[in-house]
């Protein structure tokens, strides 16, 4: 995922007017309007249309079908499982992200760059491969398959597998927001806190946390969005058992493949809403974070 | 860089690094290595057989071809969109800027069924192509559309900050030396953006090669025609062909790692070129 | 080429950057636009270049109105403060840039481009870095390459924005001399912006002194230094002792002290500011008589002349005591035999007076 709070703090306000009022950077008006037309058409066609289509299709058969699709037992159990998967993987990856960023940015040790590369690894692995690796380990024919069977533990085609796959695909989100920011902030403030007698937890809560809160929140909401929306990895390990191992995206797939389009889009519209909320919160965080930095740079 | 010292000022080094390493190993490294152990256990001949079966090779061609093309399309239009977002003022700009990230936030399955509905024969867009005998959904063109959708933000979000940071002095210098606007773009602006464009291209490509959810609904999934590589892994798994699945996965992982190295190199180049002191 | 600036005004929002500026710069000279930061000098330079457009007035280059011309058609060479060298291009290609972007019919053939670029690189004594990237050069080298690049298109006028601003003191001094020599060789009309009076006084043929969007004085370095036309010019250029008081006959009354001024055109009782350079100021022993009473604070006897720093004995102005500086030759110093803390009087051999509004 490109961007991140640290990167996206470019000077937004007034930037366009600055370019448009300078003779050397001003584009001719026909160039400007052509590019605007092309860029915005592309934007509408590829980004906005799919978003609108979700809601139009969801309400094609009216409110009642819509509500019924969301309240039937299988849908409810899919929503519940999605919440469970996100509820476990987000805190896990949050604590990991904090630990990794702390170790990497506050200390020097050999192999640090390799460690950073490894943390990014899950982003470059296909979701399907992400699911596959747990099947290879815990599936009926996997490494631990017979041992798990003998002890009557189910991981694949069960909730633990879904959680594992979700943890894998959302693994780097928090860490990769925190690392560049904390690297830029350096160690001075923490060292000052320690020199003033702060204990570990006091230093973290009073000095580190206030400095990273926006990046942390940013990482968490992106992590959560991906956790709730993951399809490929979860699909491999789930087994698609209705009412048991279906998350919301998997439930959408089953309904769609059964030609229950309105119901499929109804559940999909909930996920689309989640995406919109995520984007709104994300924009708000970027705005807040840019306020903090502009205050700092102006003082 | 400060010297590593045996006595550390800040607390928590052992705890945080230990936790990081154990968690990383358990969740990522050990599971990923299973693919390579299983592939290695197959022996070279069986591995090659599984990884280069004709149907699998057809899927490579489709996945890599469509991903390259989608990334290339996004380079052009993503650059235009990023340029428009930085350089011009227009109503609704903030909303457009925020919604560019939609493919990051929208679950892939949702994008998949929605794109299918739009580009099907009777869909909003598909109906205009139907009279010309052009089918989009359930063909490789549909796959392309889905990959364009998920790749767009990668280009915009890597190029946008570079355009924002472009020092106007460079364009002023070019103009004072007599360059036209087009010459200035081609000879001064574009070379500055090039590393970022290539980085965005590589990121979009890497994502597209592994993409599953948004593609699978619109693809049609016809053997030798519209089966993507991730689908081949699932197909083999459903037949309990763990080794075959691992072999294809090993190929994909190797490609991903190679791309990761390339992207890291490109990003270093981007920062070097965008930095003030060159 | 001559540059004529006619009635130029420019505002940024409510800030008036240039206020009806008129200027006539003769051909072939090296001219300094000098003034404190925010005085409008860079804006004026950018308006001459066509990088900025005035709200009112016109720019006339070689007798031709260029006000509406695009920067690329004005044939001015512009050297940017931070050089703006294209970092993806080699030094050679940076210098060749202006030639390569000429429209096809005017574009010189490749062989001529090579010759011209190498000639320019030789001129700036940097032919040996032709294949390097700008990032591999020192600040002074970058500045010279930026100059070569601007000269490559054979501009009618060369404009330099704070050309030595980003360099350290030693390199700055070298480059100043070098720019002067280069100008004597090429005789291209050049204007450079600076806030450093020493730089302007040392390098320029004439100086345009600006303050708050207006021109204070135009003249040779000698005139600017020795005959400041305005109160601002006096206080901005060189070290100066400042006295504020009222005209009382042949004197300026400052508190209880009387300073002779030797002028006859001043109306009795008017408020004036009097200026005197440290080397035109003299110290008189004794506590009474003409002159301003002050106490010797420090005697700085390093170099050919000794600088004596004094603190006024009179009332503090705006909570601050006035400081004075007097330059004394070793002989005079020996004759005066001053000691720190001693009360003396200071007078001026050449006092300049301006009305104090």
């Amino acid at each position: 995922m490109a961007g991140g709070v640290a990167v996206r703090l470019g000077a937004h306000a007034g930037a366009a007017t600055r370019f448009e009022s300078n003779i050397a950077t001003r584009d001719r008006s026909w160039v400007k309007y052509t590019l605007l037309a092309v860029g915005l058409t592309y934007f509408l066609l590829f980004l906005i249309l799919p978003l609108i289509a979700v809601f139009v299709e969801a309400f094609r058969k009216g409110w009642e079908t819509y509500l019924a699709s969301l309240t039937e037992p299988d849908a409810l159990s899919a929503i519940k499982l999605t919440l469970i998967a996100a509820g476990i993987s987000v805190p896990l990856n949050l604590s990991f992200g904090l630990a990794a960023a702390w170790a990497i940015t506050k200390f020097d040790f050999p192999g640090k760059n390799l460690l950073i590369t490894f943390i990014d690894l899950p982003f470059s692995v296909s979701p399907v491969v992400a699911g596959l690796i747990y099947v290879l380990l815990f599936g009926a024919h996997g490494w631990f398959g017979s041992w798990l069977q003998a002890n009557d533990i189910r991981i694949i085609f069960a909730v633990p597998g879904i959680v594992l796959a979700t943890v894998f695909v959302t693994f780097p989100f928090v860490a990769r927001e925190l690392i560049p920011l904390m690297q830029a902030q350096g160690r001075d403030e923490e060292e000052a806190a320690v020199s003033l007698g702060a204990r570990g937890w006091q230093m973290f809560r009073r000095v580190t946390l206030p400095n990273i809160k926006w990046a942390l929140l940013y990482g968490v909401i992106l992590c959560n969005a991906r956790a709730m929306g993951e399809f490929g990895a979860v699909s491999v390990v789930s087994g698609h058992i209705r009412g048991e191992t279906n998350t919301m995206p998997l439930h959408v797939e089953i309904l769609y493949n059964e030609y229950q389009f309105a119901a499929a889009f109804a559940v999909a519209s909930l996920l689309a809403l989640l995406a919109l909320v995520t984007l709104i919160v994300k924009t708000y965080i970027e705005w807040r974070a840019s306020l903090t930095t502009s205050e700092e740079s102006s003082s | 860089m400060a010297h590593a010292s045996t006595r550390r000022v800040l607390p928590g080094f052992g705890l945080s690094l230990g936790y990081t390493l154990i968690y990383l190993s358990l969740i990522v490294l050990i599971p990923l290595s299973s693919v390579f152990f299983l592939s290695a256990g197959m022996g070279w001949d069986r591995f090659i057989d599984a990884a280069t079966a004709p149907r699998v090779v057809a899927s490579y061609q489709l996945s890599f071809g469509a991903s390259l093309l989608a990334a290339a399309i996004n380079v052009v239009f993503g650059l235009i969109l990023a340029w428009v977002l930085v350089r011009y003022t227009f109503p609704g700009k903030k909303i457009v800027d925020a919604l560019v990230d939609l493919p990051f936030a929208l679950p892939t399955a949702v994008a998949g069924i929605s794109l299918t509905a739009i580009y099907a024969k009777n869909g909003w867009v598909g109906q205009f192509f139907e009279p010309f005998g052009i089918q989009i959904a359930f063909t490789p063109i549909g796959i392309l559309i889905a990959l364009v959708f998920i790749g767009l933000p990668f280009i915009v979000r890597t190029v946008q900050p570079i355009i924002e940071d472009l020092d106007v002095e460079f364009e002023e210098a070019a103009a004072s030396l007599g360059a036209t606007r087009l010459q200035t773009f081609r000879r001064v602006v574009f070379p500055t953006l090039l590393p970022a464009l290539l980085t965005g291209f590589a990121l979009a490509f890497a994502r597209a090669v592994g993409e599953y959810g948004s593609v699978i609904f619109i693809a049609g999934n016809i053997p030798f025609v519209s089966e993507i590589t991730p689908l081949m892994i699932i197909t083999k798994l459903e037949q309990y062909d763990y080794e075959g699945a691992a072999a294809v996965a090993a190929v994909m992982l190797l490609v991903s790692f190679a791309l990761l190295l390339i992207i890291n190199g490109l990003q270093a180049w981007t920062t070097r070129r965008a930095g003030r002191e060159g | 080429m001559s540059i004529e600036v006619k009635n130029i005004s420019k505002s940024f929002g409510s800030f008036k950057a240039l206020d009806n500026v008129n200027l006539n710069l003769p051909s072939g000279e090296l001219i300094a636009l000098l003034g404190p930061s925010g005085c409008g000098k860079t804006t004026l330079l950018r308006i001459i270049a066509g990088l900025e457009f005035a709200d009112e007035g016109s720019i006339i280059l070689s007798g031709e109105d260029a006000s509406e011309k695009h920067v690329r058609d004005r044939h001015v060479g512009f050297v940017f403060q931070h050089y703006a060298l294209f970092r993806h291009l080699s030094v050679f290609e940076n210098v060749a840039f202006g030639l390569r972007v000429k429209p096809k019919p005017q574009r010189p053939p490749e062989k001529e481009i090579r010759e011209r670029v190498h000639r320019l690189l030789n001129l700036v004594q940097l032919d040996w870095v032709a294949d390097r990237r700008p990032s591999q050069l020192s600040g002074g080298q970058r500045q010279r390459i930026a100059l070569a690049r601007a000269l490559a298109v054979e501009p009618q006028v060369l404009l330099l924005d704070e050309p030595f601003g980003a360099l350290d003191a030693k390199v700055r001094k070298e480059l100043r001399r070098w720019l002067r020599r280069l100008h004597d060789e090429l005789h291209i009309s050049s204007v450079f912006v600076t806030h450093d009076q020493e730089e302007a006084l040392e390098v320029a043929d004439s100086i345009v002194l600006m303050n708050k969007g207006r021109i204070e004085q135009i003249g040779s370095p000698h005139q600017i230094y020795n005959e400041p036309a305005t109160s601002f010019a006096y206080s901005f250029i060189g070290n100066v002792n400042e006295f504020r008081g009222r005209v009382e006959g042949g004197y300026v009354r400052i508190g209880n002290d009387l300073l002779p001024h030797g002028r006859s055109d001043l109306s009795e009782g008017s408020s004036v500011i009097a200026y005197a350079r440290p080397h035109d100021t003299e110290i008189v022993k004794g506590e009474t008589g003409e002159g301003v009473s002050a106490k010797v604070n420090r005697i700085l006897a390093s170099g050919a002349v000794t600088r004596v720093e004094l603190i006024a004995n009179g009332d503090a102005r705006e909570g601050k005591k006035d400081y004075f500086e007097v330059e004394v030759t070793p002989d005079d110093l020996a004759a005066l035999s001053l000691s720190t803390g001693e009360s003396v009087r200071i007078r001026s051999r050449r006092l300049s007076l301006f009305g104090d509004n």
Side-chain angles (χ1 to χ4, degrees):
Chain A
M1 189 149 302
V5 176
V7 186
R8 299 277 348 269
L9 296 182
H12 276 288
T17 41
R18 172 169 64 101
F19 290 119
E20 283 184 294
S21 63
N22 187 318
I23 175 102
T25 53
R26 181 170 53 205
D27 293 320
R28 289 217 198 106
S29 58
W30 70 265
V31 174
K32 175 183 167 179
Y33 289 111
T34 310
L35 291 181
L36 264 175
V38 171
L40 293 183
T41 306
Y42 192 78
F43 170 79
L44 280 178
L45 210 58
F46 282 98
L47 295 187
I48 297 305
L49 221 50
L51 186 62
I52 296 173
V54 173
F55 292 99
V56 171
E57 295 289 335
F59 290 104
R60 191 161 285 243
K61 293 202 176 144
W63 266 105
E64 277 165 34
T65 321
Y66 181 82
L67 286 180
S69 321
L70 295 182
T71 49
E72 53 131 346
D74 288 350
L76 288 177
S77 95
I79 293 171
K80 193 174 138 203
L81 183 56
T82 295
L83 291 176
I84 289 173
I88 296 174
S89 51
V90 171
L92 273 180
N93 286 331
L94 170 65
S95 62
F96 162 74
L98 278 172
W102 183 259
I104 285 170
T105 60
K106 305 295 175 190
F107 304 100
D108 294 312
F109 53 90
K112 194 194 269 192
N113 287 329
L114 188 68
L115 180 58
I116 296 175
T117 311
F118 277 152
I119 291 173
D120 269 350
L121 213 51
F123 272 156
S124 46
V125 171
S126 170
V128 170
V129 176
L132 169 76
I133 55 179
Y134 294 109
V135 176
L136 295 183
L137 286 182
F138 306 119
H141 302 276
W143 284 356
F144 304 110
S146 39
W147 183 84
L148 289 171
Q149 228 155 12
N151 290 284
D152 203 24
I153 304 170
R154 286 185 69 90
I155 291 181
I156 299 306
F157 303 151
V159 175
I162 288 170
V163 171
L164 271 177
T166 309
V167 169
F168 182 95
V169 294
T170 57
F171 183 83
F173 277 98
V174 177
R176 79 146 32 190
E177 289 304 328
L178 292 184
I179 290 171
L181 181 71
M182 287 168 68
Q183 228 150 22
Q185 287 174 346
R187 306 166 192 179
D188 297 357
E189 290 186 35
E190 278 84 4
E191 284 171 356
V194 169
S195 77
L196 293 170
R199 318 277 313 170
W201 171 246
Q202 290 173 316
M203 172 206 59
F204 178 77
R205 199 170 54 87
R206 290 169 182 271
V207 177
T208 311
L209 205 56
N211 279 335
I212 61 169
K213 61 179 180 215
W214 295 117
L216 193 69
L217 194 57
Y218 195 94
V220 164
I221 63 141
L222 291 182
C223 183
N224 179 63
R226 180 70 191 266
M228 291 189 169
E230 178 52 26
F231 177 72
V234 173
S235 164
V236 174
V237 295
S238 131
H240 297 87
I241 306 161
R242 285 187 95 143
E244 277 182 46
T245 61
N246 269 351
T247 60
M248 284 166 76
L250 296 176
H251 190 58
V252 168
E253 183 198 18
I254 287 185
L255 292 170
Y256 190 83
N257 287 342
E258 287 170 352
Y259 302 104
Q260 301 188 43
F261 293 138
F265 276 103
V267 180
S269 73
L270 276 191
L271 290 168
L273 270 182
L274 166 75
L276 286 178
V277 170
T278 302
L279 289 184
I280 291 168
V281 176
K282 180 174 163 297
T283 310
Y284 172 76
I285 293 173
E286 278 167 5
W287 174 70
R288 281 307 305 254
S290 73
L291 278 191
T292 324
T293 34
S294 61
E295 272 165 25
E296 270 164 22
S297 58
S298 70
S299 67
Chain B
M1 210 22 83
H3 289 286
S5 59
T6 42
R7 288 187 56 81
R8 299 174 196 279
V9 179
L10 298 178
F13 176 66
L15 183 68
S16 61
L17 187 65
Y19 178 59
T20 301
L21 291 178
I22 290 169
Y23 189 78
L24 176 73
S25 305
L26 285 181
I27 298 292
V28 179
L29 298 182
I30 295 171
L32 271 181
S33 67
S34 69
V35 168
F36 295 106
F37 279 115
L38 200 61
S39 303
M42 291 168 74
W44 185 247
D45 291 341
R46 270 173 52 217
F47 175 79
I48 291 293
D49 278 352
T52 63
R55 196 169 149 192
V56 176
V57 171
S59 84
Y60 294 149
Q61 285 169 345
L62 177 66
S63 273
F64 290 108
S67 300
L68 278 176
L69 194 55
I73 292 171
N74 273 329
V75 163
V76 176
F77 291 97
L79 172 60
I80 292 176
L81 199 51
W83 186 265
V84 161
L85 282 173
V86 177
R87 290 280 171 127
Y88 307 147
T89 36
F90 57 91
K93 176 169 153 163
K94 287 231 165 85
I95 296 171
V96 174
D97 196 8
L99 279 174
V100 164
D101 282 330
L102 183 70
F104 286 156
L106 193 69
T108 52
V110 177
I113 62 169
S114 179
L115 287 168
T116 311
I118 294 170
Y119 289 95
K121 273 190 293 204
N122 53 355
W124 289 349
V125 179
Q127 57 180 318
F128 297 108
F129 290 88
E130 170 70 5
F132 304 103
I134 300 172
Q135 268 220 26
I136 296 178
F138 316 122
T139 70
I141 305 176
I143 298 176
L144 186 66
I145 300 267
L147 296 182
V148 165
F149 171 82
I150 56 141
L152 181 62
F154 288 98
I155 312 280
V156 177
R157 293 306 187 215
T158 29
V159 184
Q160 197 178 12
I162 308 292
I163 302 179
E164 264 162 15
D165 291 345
L166 266 186
D167 204 323
V168 293
E169 267 196 4
F170 293 108
E171 284 161 82
E172 289 178 348
S176 79
L177 292 166
T180 62
R181 199 69 193 115
L182 187 64
Q183 284 172 322
T184 304
F185 182 80
R186 227 186 55 214
R187 289 167 177 267
V188 176
V189 176
F190 186 74
T192 313
L193 303 182
L194 184 64
L197 280 172
L198 286 177
T199 307
F201 177 87
L203 287 169
F205 175 73
R207 170 72 197 266
V209 167
E211 178 58 19
Y212 178 72
S214 60
V215 177
I216 213 66
F217 296 95
I218 203 171
N221 307 326
I222 306 154
F224 293 99
V225 178
S226 52
E227 273 185 337
I228 54 168
T229 306
L231 178 64
M232 293 311 306
I233 296 175
I234 294 210
T235 311
K236 285 184 186 287
L237 264 185
E238 280 170 355
Q239 298 157 352
Y240 295 102
D241 179 5
Y242 280 23
E243 289 190 339
V248 178
V251 172
M252 289 197 69
L253 279 178
L254 289 177
V255 171
S256 306
F257 295 162
L259 281 169
L260 195 64
L261 286 180
I262 293 170
I263 289 166
N264 278 346
L266 282 171
Q267 270 164 343
W269 186 28
T270 311
T271 21
R272 241 181 301 132
R273 183 161 285 187
R276 225 187 190 294
E277 290 307 307
Chain C
M1 188 184 76
S2 64
I3 303 168
E4 237 185 295
V5 174
K6 270 190 172 169
N7 309 325
I8 291 284
S9 292
K10 170 83 178 173
S11 301
F12 297 106
S14 59
F15 175 70
K16 198 138 189 144
L18 292 173
D19 188 3
N20 195 21
V21 170
N22 283 284
L23 203 53
N24 214 329
L25 302 175
S27 197
E29 283 200 345
L30 178 55
I31 291 148
L33 288 182
L34 175 66
S37 63
C39 73
K41 55 194 193 297
T42 293
T43 306
L44 181 58
L45 192 78
R46 287 172 62 87
I47 287 175
I48 297 174
L51 288 168
E52 209 91 61
F53 287 91
D55 302 333
E56 282 166 61
S58 45
I59 298 292
I60 295 166
L61 301 176
S62 287
E64 193 189 333
D65 191 341
S67 313
E68 294 305 311
K69 266 195 181 170
H70 193 277
V71 48
R72 73 172 154 264
D73 303 319
R74 285 200 192 185
H75 302 290
V76 297
F78 199 97
V79 178
F80 291 83
Q81 186 179 0
H82 299 286
Y83 327 126
L85 292 177
F86 306 129
R87 50 182 149 240
H88 62 285
L89 297 179
S90 66
V91 164
F92 180 94
E93 285 302 325
N94 260 287
V95 179
F97 185 91
L99 301 172
R100 294 204 191 284
V101 297
K102 277 183 189 289
K104 264 246 167 68
Q106 285 125 275
R107 195 182 306 160
E110 183 63 27
K111 190 165 158 280
E112 201 189 317
I113 292 182
R114 303 208 139 263
E115 282 171 15
R116 266 165 78 174
V117 172
H118 281 297
R119 212 181 322 134
L120 281 161
L121 287 174
N122 278 320
L123 182 74
V124 299
Q125 298 154 348
L126 282 172
D127 198 37
W128 52 285
V129 300
D131 296 326
R132 296 202 188 164
R133 291 291 170 102
S135 57
Q136 295 166 291
L137 304 181
S138 71
Q141 289 171 331
R142 286 182 208 185
Q143 182 59 271
R144 277 143 69 190
I145 296 301
L147 197 65
R149 182 177 71 175
L151 289 172
V153 289
E154 296 176 342
Q156 303 179 357
V157 51
L158 190 60
L159 306 173
L160 306 102
D161 185 10
E162 295 271 3
F164 315 113
L167 301 169
D168 60 58
K170 189 162 170 283
V171 183
R172 189 153 39 186
K173 201 137 192 158
E174 266 171 43
L175 264 181
R176 255 190 236 164
R177 259 180 246 132
W178 174 82
L179 178 70
R180 184 65 238 184
R181 268 208 318 278
L182 189 77
H183 184 266
D184 293 340
E185 247 173 83
L186 299 175
H187 281 297
I188 175 173
S189 308
S190 310
V191 181
F192 73 98
V193 156
T194 181
H195 61 264
D196 182 345
Q197 40 154 319
E198 199 185 318
E199 202 166 283
L201 292 169
E202 194 181 311
V203 179
D205 292 318
S206 45
I207 295 174
V208 177
L209 184 64
M210 294 183 66
N211 184 37
K212 292 183 181 164
R214 293 165 181 272
I215 291 176
E216 293 279 338
Q217 189 177 2
I218 305 173
S220 68
H222 180 87
Q223 286 171 320
I224 295 280
Y225 188 81
N226 294 301
E227 299 151 29
T230 65
S231 160
F232 170 80
Y234 229 117
S235 59
F236 186 73
I237 303 282
N239 280 331
V240 75
N241 295 315
E242 183 186 305
F243 310 94
R244 283 165 192 268
R246 272 173 202 288
V247 175
E248 210 175 283
Y251 297 94
V252 180
R253 171 167 287 283
I254 303 145
N256 296 323
D257 302 327
L258 289 169
L259 199 60
H261 59 68
R263 291 217 342 221
S264 52
D265 55 340
L266 299 167
S267 55
E268 187 70 16
S270 61
S271 285
V272 290
I273 308 177
Y275 293 102
R277 298 274 182 223
H279 56 81
D280 287 330
T281 310
E282 57 188 358
I283 297 177
V284 187
K285 290 278 244 186
E287 306 231 352
T288 52
E290 289 180 350
V292 174
S293 164
K295 198 173 276 154
V296 176
N297 187 41
R298 289 200 305 165
I299 303 172
L300 304 159
S302 67
V305 292
T306 298
R307 281 160 44 223
V308 181
E309 190 183 272
L310 307 104
I311 304 178
N313 280 334
D315 296 334
R317 198 152 43 84
E318 288 162 13
K320 252 183 357 208
K321 284 274 192 177
D322 281 336
Y323 274 76
F324 303 117
E325 197 176 305
V326 180
E327 283 175 15
V328 199
T329 62
D331 292 348
D332 290 349
L333 186 69
L336 283 165
S337 68
L338 293 172
S339 55
T340 309
E342 183 181 350
S343 265
V344 293
R345 300 204 156 253
I346 57 173
R347 303 195 294 220
S348 174
R349 290 180 283 263
R350 271 186 51 188
L351 199 64
S352 301
L353 283 94
F354 299 93
D356 183 11
N357 310 315

